Amino acid sequence: MQKILIQTLLLLLLSIQIVHAQKPQKPNAAEIYDQIQKLNFLGTVLYIAAHPDDENTRLISYMSNDIHARTGYLSLTRGDGGQNLIGPQLRELLGVIRTQELLEARKIDGGEQFFSRANDFGYSKNPEETLQIWDKEKVLADLVWTIRKFQPDVIINRFDHRSPGTTHGHHTSSAMLSMEGFDLANNAASFPEQLQLVQTWQPKRVFFNTSWWFYGSKEKFDAADKTNLIGISTGVFYSTIGKSNQEIAALSRSSHKSQGFGSTGSRGEDTEYLEFLKGEPLKEKKSLFEGIDTSWNRVKGGKPIGELISMIANQYDFKNPAASIPNLVKAYTMIQALDENHWKTIKSEEIKKIIASCSGLYLEAVSNAQEATPGSIVNLKLEAINRSSAVMELVSVTTIPEQKTTFLNSDLKNNILQNNSIDLQLPQSINYTQPYWLKEPGTLGLYTVEDQKNIGIPDVIREVKVVFNIKINGIEIPFERTVVYKYNDDVKGEMYNFLDIVPVITTTIQEKVLLFPNTRSKYIGINIKAGKNDIKGNLKLDLPKEWKVTPAFIPFQLDKKGTDQTVYFEVTPPAQMSEAVGKSIATIDGILYDKEQININYDHITKQQVLKTAEVKCIRLDLKTNEEKIAYIMGAGDEVPKSLTQMGYKVTIVKPEEITPEKLESFDVVMTGVRAYNTVQALANKQEILFDFVKNGKTMIVQYNTTDDLVTEKIAPYPLKISRDRVTEENAEVRFLVPNHPALNYPNAITPNDFKGWKQEQGLYYPKEFDKAFTPILSSNDKGESAKDGALLIAPYGKGNYIYTGLSLFRELPEGVPGAYKLLSNMISIKPSVNIPNQKIKQ
Ligand SMILES: [Zn+2]
């Protein structure tokens, strides 16, 4: 009884995992053939690392497309802590983008994706810190859970568990946890609570996917002892697809657009090296699966199924894939007759896809709207068409989650379209569509996921589906489809989204941070959007009582779903310094709604909806600013110009091609956005104009750039070399090297308190070597490291000043960190007269 229960739950789990939403795939005859071969391979590989982009797509593609193994990638984090090259989203919103990019990558290389609850909290120099912030036991539990659920025969670590401190602490941690998880997954005493839902599992062996990179150079690697390494020739050419393995891997890697990891494929021989770490050693070193039966014999009663699938593959007709349908349906029936087990669930899904592909069976459920609220009725247009001579009947459709079956009993004749329209009643209790890992507040190191069953699931869980029950050759087969919403874009063509479940009302506060440099009140706009027709209620902006908000309530009425309205509250700050979070709360019929809807739209990923608490950080701060006019040159993308506007400055975004002496004349300060010298090629030819601007008595502020791919060597008027120095401890003590320097005194007096409450990290890519014309102003370091003096460097040049800063202002300002505002104001106000020789003031 217990066993049956476990297996039913297992079935449920696997079906959640497999049926994540994606655009319908329309494989061609060669791709179908490939899927048939995969159907006949019962072996599993799990690749483990820490971030989106750590994975070796060449190896994943090779394992999936050449070996035909189920190939998973467990990225412990969703990459929330990185930088975003394509838009303003940071932190958890960036994690949402990177999650989708990984899913797109896996669609290309054939892998499957998993995550743990670990949050990419930012750069970490060693695994001790990482594992402490993550909560090691929980992340280890998730890794063990993934092993027990996915049941890999072989595990491959991207990183070396024996070299802490040589790479990102997340990287080493991923390998260390993998080594532990390998031992624990089969131990029923480890994380026993999981065994209500999964069984223990022992992977056969674990490897480290090494490369010359880990040895320092190609020469050192060539010279190294390779007796414990196995070399795999991954430079395969897939003739039916017309691409090399490396070309597929490059396409996959190019999905990481938010990281700017476009990649060009190569051709020809290629070797991947794996170092054996633990488990059963390889004797012949010919296959990672040595000693594992990867045929259908692996499953009790599976032998005849394997034989039948081999026959299907041998007789497969590339000109007529539909000819395989009778035998495929037979194989499907045989699989259904097996005892419940891991492979039965997986192979059932695989073979259903193949049957649909071979018959050109297209099934789709399209919602009449992009959004719907809980409890509402959604009209669905159902499309079903069979494009083969196979005998088919659309018996019924079942809508999920209401589980209502409608019998249709219509024949699906070759290439005759069947359209049906049905109404689907959404339950009042249905969850809003949003990344499940963001639903509850998490900690710095870990997302909160209350339902164990959801842990590891890569994508947003979409609950509204339609099951098409189709009789093919007399056998009824259920095909599940997630309800989609699609429309035509005049330029891009078919836009394919999914139905989103939204609250009745969402509100957006127009600013995320509101600065009050004095006691003058400010107006704050709140946008109200209706999730359904005819809503009527009150809105309030909730702030602590020392903040005055008028009026107390604003009534609103919206007649039509999707329309919006903006209302304004007047906010008066207290006289003394204060920080508060204002919440926008709507009340309709006594029910409170406090969510903001954030839609993330990029061409390369599925549209994402995130629901966050609608709030604004209000800061009463004694910030002194002068009236400088600022020209801002955008780099990789940041929200600093918005913050400058909040501070009261006039900011103009100047495009690189607009940089001329005449254009700059009206400005006092030029500021470059983050990584401008990595991403804006045109700047290479504008440096002389910018330096002349400084020479003539103005100020130039350059924010951080990375060491890679600078568009010019000469980013400053004096020699300056960026290094990889960074201070990741955001609250590391900051020492003032030149306490009387204007940058620390005018117009705002900076104190050590101004470096408290910083987020994620203090700064990055500090210059290490710089001309003596520069005065280093600040010094700090992570625990146990030498002092880093390159955070803020100021050099007089002509009558003006050039400032280089690796401080992570781009993170702190949008978070409303007061000290960051004061320091930036001082940099902006540096006066041409500042020309104090270094040695005199250095203390
Ligand atoms: Zn990484």
Side-chain angles (χ1 to χ4, degrees), residues 49-55 73 77 120 158-159 167-168 170-171 259:
H51 306 119
D53 84 351
D54 287 344
E55 80 277 21
Y73 172 41
T77 77
D120 177 6
R158 165 78 281 189
F159 297 102
T167 175
H168 199 318
H170 299 176
H171 291 165
Q259 317 207 44

Side-chain angles (χ1 to χ4, degrees), residues 329 391 471-476:
V329 172
V391 178
K471 208 178 254 181
I472 305 176
N473 277 11
I475 302 296
E476 194 169 313

